[in-house]
Amino acid sequence: MALLVQGEIVSHMERAPGVFMVEFIAPNLATVARPGQFLHIRCSEGNDPLLRRPISIHAVDRDRGRVGILFQVVGRGTALLARRKDGVIDVMGPLGRGFSTGSHNLMRAGSIAVVGGGIGAAPLFFLLQELARCGDPARVKVLLGARSANQILIKEEIENLGYTMELATDDGSVGHRGQVTELLLKLLPEGVSYVYACGPAPMLKAVCAFLSEAGIPGEVSLEERMACGVGACLSCACQVKAAGGGVHYRRACVDGPVFPAGEVVW
Amino acid sequence: MINTTVNLGGIKMKNPVATASGTFGFGLEYQQFIQLEKLGAIIVKGTTPAPRQGNPPPRIAETPAGMLNAIGLQNPGVNKVAGEIIPRLVHLNTPVIINIAGDTVEDYALVANKLDGVPGVAGLEINISCPNVKKGGIQFGSDPRSAAEVTRAVKAATKLPVIVKLSPNVTDLVAMAAAVAEAGADALSMINTLLGMAIDVDRRKPVLGNITGGLSGPAVRPVAVRAVWQVYRAVKLPILGMGGIMTTRDALEFILAGATAVAVGTANFVNPRATIEIIEGIENYLREQGFNNINQLTGLAHAGI
């Protein structure tokens, strides 16, 4: 059940060049939102750009009734949204099927790896909030990758939740020089039993390949162009393995955006 | 007391606002935002004889004040629609109209026949104007003789009221409308999307997986209003007008141009309560402007012209 919310903006910050963090008041939304779900946000007041933008839920403060988004400016819609520093934002949500954070994952023997690439770190913070609330941060290893040190997002916030972290950057300006997936490949044999990942498609493709080879389960959050956000328009089709063999299209907006790593067809 | 009921070729609607096919799923997706019973009618996604996977993604592209789509008639097939989906809508006190499509005239007749007598189906909308599939769809929608042939075949296969959805991607829309009227259509719906395309300048490739797609949204509204205007003057069939309706005033343009009822499509994506707001807005307009019957407005802009 999604809500239609006019959320009053209470904070607005440029966290990295072109990456914005916006927090707004939405107590009911904060109560029902689950990690990995997303919001469908109207960026313009008029008819252009026309469509809402799907943006993941970055953080939830249930006590104060606040919801946060962390997004990168990639086009006209997000540029308009970034300029909105106060007033209200028009939000539909929470939408989609998020990460499964049930006890079946937390109770597994071994450790959990949470892997984020670039702006893909955004929804993982909400996941880490939830894992910290109902699990043991010491059993979770966070791996973050980005182009450069100044694009590594929310490092301090994640550390404040009690997690240990490894970083990778393309230019080596902080952490491992190279891909975050290389860190995952090294970590997998050390007793990883479950993996959550969000990031650009090539990164998720590599994550799925590594998991399949190692026989380790996990979940990945996909990104697709969307129109309705509620499963009606069939715009956000992504190819997923069908139960009886073969492949079929599923809707990223309601069947995802989070899918079991073994089901996605790349 | 204001009368907002309209009769769309034998389909009685409590108000003149329907949802446009393809933009509203099977209605169930929007129950979380609106009471479906308040709608004048629900027109559900295009249904074909067999299930269809649809086109490869990306399936949409945003364009100035509009969007392109190339979904490709993804649907579970008529048997599942009739057997599993319509029964979930049958309790609604609002007419459900099924949009039907196919590759051949026989396909259309087959789907129409299978839906004939299914409880909960109030009418059929023949989709002879989908620009996003290789066979069927638009090939019937661009030639008056083919359009008439499909219309006759569907009329022979069902007792349900039959609405024919026309494409704007033709030289002479009035000739198309006249041909399907002659073939026995009970109503017309117009317009389907305009054929369009967008190119990603960075990748130097078409944006859509299907290369071309159908343009909808406010950008197409003047084209749609013109289409309704011209056909209203030439053909005596009730018209379901659509194309970029976002607000009450947009809907009223269509009605004044000659539409008996309107359908709201792309607006649902932006504002899932758009239909309800338009229904209330039309009632307010009638009251404020001193009309007591919505049908007084249909075609009113033609007076004296």
Side-chain angles (χ1 to χ4, degrees), chain A residues 17-40:
Chain A
V19 177
F20 292 82
M21 186 182 280
V22 174
E23 206 183 11
F24 57 92
I25 298 178
N28 296 339
L29 184 56
T31 305
V32 297
R34 303 291 310 148
Q37 289 189 298
F38 69 95
L39 306 174
H40 218 20

Side-chain angles (χ1 to χ4, degrees), chain A residues 2 48 51-53 234 249, chain B residues 32 53 59-60 62 65 270:
Chain A
D48 194 54
L51 299 172
R52 289 171 180 266
R53 296 295 185 267
L234 312 178
Y249 286 120
Chain B
Q32 54 191 325
Q53 285 251 15
R59 291 177 170 187
I60 55 164
E62 200 174 43
V270 182

Side-chain angles (χ1 to χ4, degrees), chain A:
Chain A
M1 178 87 184
L3 307 166
L4 295 170
V5 174
Q6 301 287 324
E8 190 195 339
I9 295 171
V10 287
S11 79
H12 178 283
M13 243 184 299
E14 186 164 7
R15 287 298 304 260
V19 177
F20 292 82
M21 186 182 280
V22 174
E23 206 183 11
F24 57 92
I25 298 178
N28 296 339
L29 184 56
T31 305
V32 297
R34 303 291 310 148
Q37 289 189 298
F38 69 95
L39 306 174
H40 218 20
I41 303 180
R42 198 157 175 193
C43 297
S44 71
E45 307 212 334
N47 288 330
D48 194 54
L50 183 64
L51 299 172
R52 289 171 180 266
R53 296 295 185 267
I55 293 177
S56 65
I57 302 172
H58 165 61
V60 159
D61 183 342
R62 294 200 175 102
D63 296 337
R64 293 198 297 164
R66 292 178 176 194
V67 175
I69 53 173
L70 180 68
F71 63 96
Q72 189 161 27
V73 172
V74 292
R76 288 193 307 146
T78 42
L80 278 173
L81 189 59
R83 264 186 252 152
R84 191 92 52 90
K85 294 187 177 164
D86 48 28
V88 295
I89 53 172
D90 179 337
V91 171
M92 264 169 81
L95 298 170
R97 208 181 61 163
F99 294 108
S100 56
T101 55
S103 52
H104 62 287
N105 288 342
L106 303 177
M107 299 303 285
R108 277 172 210 272
S111 61
I112 293 168
V114 175
V115 191
I119 193 66
L124 298 177
F125 184 73
F126 186 15
L127 172 69
L128 291 167
Q129 282 185 310
E130 204 67 7
L131 292 179
R133 206 168 59 86
C134 47
D136 175 11
R139 285 182 48 220
V140 179
K141 190 65 164 283
V142 181
L143 309 175
L144 288 189
R147 265 186 221 132
S148 188
N150 71 347
Q151 295 282 345
I152 292 279
L153 301 166
I154 54 169
K155 176 172 175 286
E156 290 75 24
E157 285 96 327
I158 293 174
E159 283 169 347
N160 288 343
L161 289 175
Y163 293 101
T164 54
M165 194 176 337
E166 276 187 68
L167 305 177
T169 50
D170 295 353
D171 63 4
S173 51
V174 66
H176 168 73
R177 184 193 189 103
Q179 306 289 316
V180 69
T181 47
E182 291 157 19
L183 296 177
L184 177 67
L185 196 56
K186 220 167 60 189
L187 185 70
L188 283 180
E190 297 173 19
V192 172
S193 62
Y194 206 80
V195 174
Y196 298 101
C198 184
M203 175 200 127
L204 295 182
K205 182 179 176 181
V207 168
C208 290
F210 295 159
L211 292 184
S212 149
E213 204 163 302
I216 297 170
E219 297 170 20
V220 295
S221 179
L222 304 183
E223 194 172 41
E224 281 293 339
R225 292 159 186 270
M226 283 181 196
C228 75
V230 297
C233 73
L234 312 178
S235 298
C236 59
C238 43
Q239 277 201 320
V240 173
K241 288 174 193 149
V247 296
H248 61 166
Y249 286 120
R250 303 296 302 277
R251 298 161 295 180
C253 69
V254 288
D255 303 316
V258 175
F259 289 94
E263 287 184 11
V264 182
V265 178
W266 296 98

Side-chain angles (χ1 to χ4, degrees), chain B residues 31-49:
Chain B
Q31 275 185 122
Q32 54 191 325
F33 304 113
I34 62 168
Q35 265 183 284
L36 298 177
E37 283 85 357
K38 290 200 169 171
L39 297 169
I42 298 171
I43 307 179
V44 303
K45 178 75 184 164
T47 299
T48 52

Side-chain angles (χ1 to χ4, degrees), chain B residues 218-243:
Chain B
V220 312
R221 197 171 63 239
V223 176
V225 172
R226 179 272 300 168
V228 170
W229 174 276
Q230 289 180 332
V231 169
Y232 177 80
R233 290 177 91 83
V235 178
K236 294 291 159 232
L237 278 184
I239 296 170
L240 177 69
M242 71 193 78

